[in-house]
Amino acid sequence: MIHPLKSGPPASGLLSATEQDALRRDAADPGRRELFLIPPADGGGYPESAYLAGNSLGLQPRATQAELLEDLASWARLGVEGHLEAGRPWLPYHGLLTAPAARLVGALPEETVIMNSLTVNLHLLMVSFYRPRGGRTKIVIEDTAFPSDSYAVRSQARFHGLDPDTAVVRLGDGREVLDFLEREGETVALVMLGGVNYLTGELMDIPAITAAGHAAGAVVGWDLAHAAGNVPLRLHDWGPDFAAWCSYKYLNSGPGALGGVFVHQRHLGDPGLQRFEGWWSTEQSTRFRMDPVSRPPASADAWQISNPPIYAMGPVRTSLNLFDQAGMTELRARSVRLTGYLESLLDEVTPTRPLSVVTPRDPERRGCQLSLRIERGSAAELARRLRLEHGVVTDAREPDIVRIAPTPLYSTYLDCWRAATALAHCVKE
Ligand SMILES: *Cc1c(COP(=O)(O)O)cnc(C)c1O
């Protein structure tokens, strides 16, 4: 149900597109909003917020709570026997998530595992895939890398006895990465970039950069925090060595949800790879023989260490099922239409105001997020006003970026119209 404005519109008339037009588009091109719990609006006269912050924390699917309670009830009813006798037995539980996660990122099931959280997984993957040797020591990241990734690669460099100021190379964009690989590729041990940049919303050319990294003799890994569930991915075919993503942004699995890991098939079962192991790294069938030496399976499961948190896996399972039902191809098609609509509205607002969209205009070079740079005032203050005065939830990255992400599962054309109208209202010409 999409609710039109109830009280007098404070900000209508600022755009040539009308609220009626947005509502007509929603009727013709609906998402799956009814499957989600939409937070109420803080202000603006609408009952529901225009929630455009799914790039930061996705909304809760209605199905999540009941399924989580089922898992809790198994513990109450079965105690330790739940490992084997729960409706979804705990011992092989993570396996329920593997196939839908693999479909989501275009991987083989054996290349995929859901475990831990994102930065932890990046570290575990770098244990295997960042092996500086001789003159090949550098890690290439993007200058606008998410801080956690920057800290992770710098600490990995230090772990190997290297100076992070020289070992970590920060580059501006995909073009600069390709140029650097051409010029100094023999010094690069690892290229590790965000598939969709968290700040600018730019979608990298993942297959081209992966191929260039490999041609230079480097290992290539991708942080897909802002790409998984946002854009279609074909990781197996594109061939990076590894990738990792989180599940609380576009994947709607809840704050701190378990992340995903991809390790390309060509590395599976390679006894030469270094890896940190624990009892969940060993073959499931022989785990309870309690052998002193592990026998890791030839799959991404070998990167698991501990027995996983069951109540954290349920919400990921619920969410991945939604993606399976909706299909990433269909979701992407609606996403391109929604973001294109938002962009067309912002085109009316930005020329006369100290605002500009920094995300690429080409839909092939972005996901659903549009990032606005504000030239005066604080981005956080603007995001606060959008929320409290208009019920429009965006998110700010200080000092000057406001990110607006219509997500195709639950965002509406009305949400986009409300966001553009509220912006026009809050930012003076
Ligand atoms: C969201 C995000 C993170 C967060 O890391 P956690 O380990 O899940 O807290 C890391 N890197 C990128 C690129 C992100 O977008």
Side-chain angles (χ1 to χ4, degrees):
M1 176 61 191
I2 294 155
H3 301 279
L5 191 58
K6 287 274 166 26
S7 60
S12 65
L14 288 168
L15 300 177
S16 66
T18 63
E19 184 183 26
Q20 286 317 315
D21 172 61
L23 289 167
R24 264 194 304 276
R25 287 171 193 261
D26 278 320
D29 184 16
R32 294 172 183 242
R33 189 178 178 87
E34 69 284 357
L35 300 179
F36 289 84
L37 296 162
I38 311 293
D42 282 323
Y46 294 83
E48 291 178 348
S49 58
Y51 192 84
L52 298 162
N55 57 338
S56 183
L57 184 74
L59 292 180
Q60 184 181 138
R62 286 183 186 275
T64 299
Q65 189 179 12
E67 301 195 20
L68 190 52
L69 289 175
E70 277 173 29
D71 288 332
L72 262 173
S74 297
W75 178 31
R77 196 163 44 85
L78 297 164
V80 68
E81 305 304 337
H83 281 301
L84 293 171
E85 293 176 15
R88 290 183 281 274
W90 307 328
L91 211 52
Y93 198 123
H94 80 273
L96 297 174
L97 285 57
T98 299
R103 282 192 285 276
L104 184 80
V105 298
L108 303 174
E110 60 267 34
E111 292 172 322
T112 313
V113 63
I114 299 290
M115 62 180 197
N116 310 314
S117 39
L118 173 55
T119 313
V120 170
N121 286 335
L122 290 175
H123 276 297
L124 294 178
L125 289 162
M126 281 191 278
V127 164
S128 302
F129 294 109
Y130 175 53
R131 310 287 301 161
R133 268 191 202 92
R136 196 182 274 285
T137 57
K138 289 184 176 154
I139 308 177
V140 170
I141 63 171
E142 70 274 46
D143 205 24
T144 49
F146 192 83
S148 197
D149 301 40
S150 294
Y151 307 158
V153 295
R154 287 179 63 85
S155 63
Q156 284 283 334
R158 279 197 304 271
F159 177 68
H160 286 280
L162 299 167
D163 175 359
D165 289 336
T166 48
V168 176
V169 180
R170 307 177 67 97
L171 299 172
D173 58 13
R175 183 73 256 155
E176 274 188 34
V177 172
L178 294 173
D179 287 348
F180 188 82
L181 286 169
E182 189 123 307
R183 278 198 329 273
E184 300 184 44
E186 75 285 351
T187 66
V188 177
L190 171 65
V191 179
M192 197 178 86
L193 305 170
V196 172
N197 185 265
Y198 86 100
L199 191 65
T200 65
E202 177 174 3
L203 168 60
M204 295 285 213
D205 189 340
I206 299 176
I209 293 174
T210 299
H214 285 164
V219 171
V220 182
W222 290 93
D223 182 330
L224 301 175
H226 284 263
N230 182 14
V231 294
L233 298 165
R234 294 192 3 239
L235 291 184
H236 177 78
D237 294 344
W238 294 343
D241 299 281
F242 70 89
W245 59 95
C246 59
S247 307
Y248 46 82
K249 292 167 181 164
Y250 295 107
L251 297 182
N252 310 316
S253 304
L258 292 174
V261 157
F262 163 88
V263 178
H264 197 275
Q265 187 181 37
R266 64 180 170 274
H267 296 299
L268 302 178
D270 175 358
L273 271 185
Q274 297 299 324
R275 187 169 47 225
F276 287 170
E277 294 183 345
W279 69 321
W280 242 250
S281 320
T282 203
E283 276 292 355
Q284 191 167 299
S285 57
T286 57
R287 184 170 298 142
F288 285 90
R289 281 205 229 143
M290 301 310 209
D291 291 339
V293 177
S294 76
R295 304 205 311 160
S299 72
D301 280 7
W303 273 263
Q304 297 180 107
I305 295 179
S306 293
N307 83 101
I310 300 300
Y311 310 128
M313 284 195 291
V316 181
R317 195 183 68 86
T318 310
S319 164
L320 290 173
N321 286 341
L322 291 183
F323 276 85
D324 256 351
Q325 285 156 25
M328 207 47 231
T329 310
E330 270 81 334
L331 285 173
R332 170 64 169 168
R334 181 164 189 270
S335 171
V336 168
R337 294 191 293 273
L338 262 183
T339 296
Y341 174 69
L342 175 63
E343 181 176 53
S344 72
L345 300 180
L346 293 178
D347 281 345
E348 284 193 51
V349 177
T350 52
T352 54
R353 290 175 175 79
L355 281 179
S356 53
V357 176
V358 300
T359 307
R361 287 194 76 87
D362 179 358
E364 298 289 311
R365 291 188 50 217
R366 69 185 184 202
C368 71
Q369 169 185 327
L370 295 181
S371 301
L372 278 166
R373 172 163 287 137
I374 64 165
E375 280 139 36
R376 286 201 297 275
S378 133
E381 174 58 16
L382 176 56
R384 199 185 68 82
R385 286 190 61 200
L386 292 173
R387 180 167 67 84
L388 296 181
E389 296 171 17
H390 300 274
V392 172
V393 183
T394 59
D395 101 332
R397 283 291 172 265
E398 290 286 44
D400 59 355
I401 297 288
V402 171
R403 307 183 301 174
I404 309 181
T407 66
L409 273 170
Y410 53 75
S411 295
T412 61
Y413 291 89
L414 179 63
D415 292 341
C416 297
W417 184 86
R418 283 173 60 188
T421 307
L423 267 171
H425 203 250
C426 288
V427 184
K428 292 286 168 282
E429 304 206 8

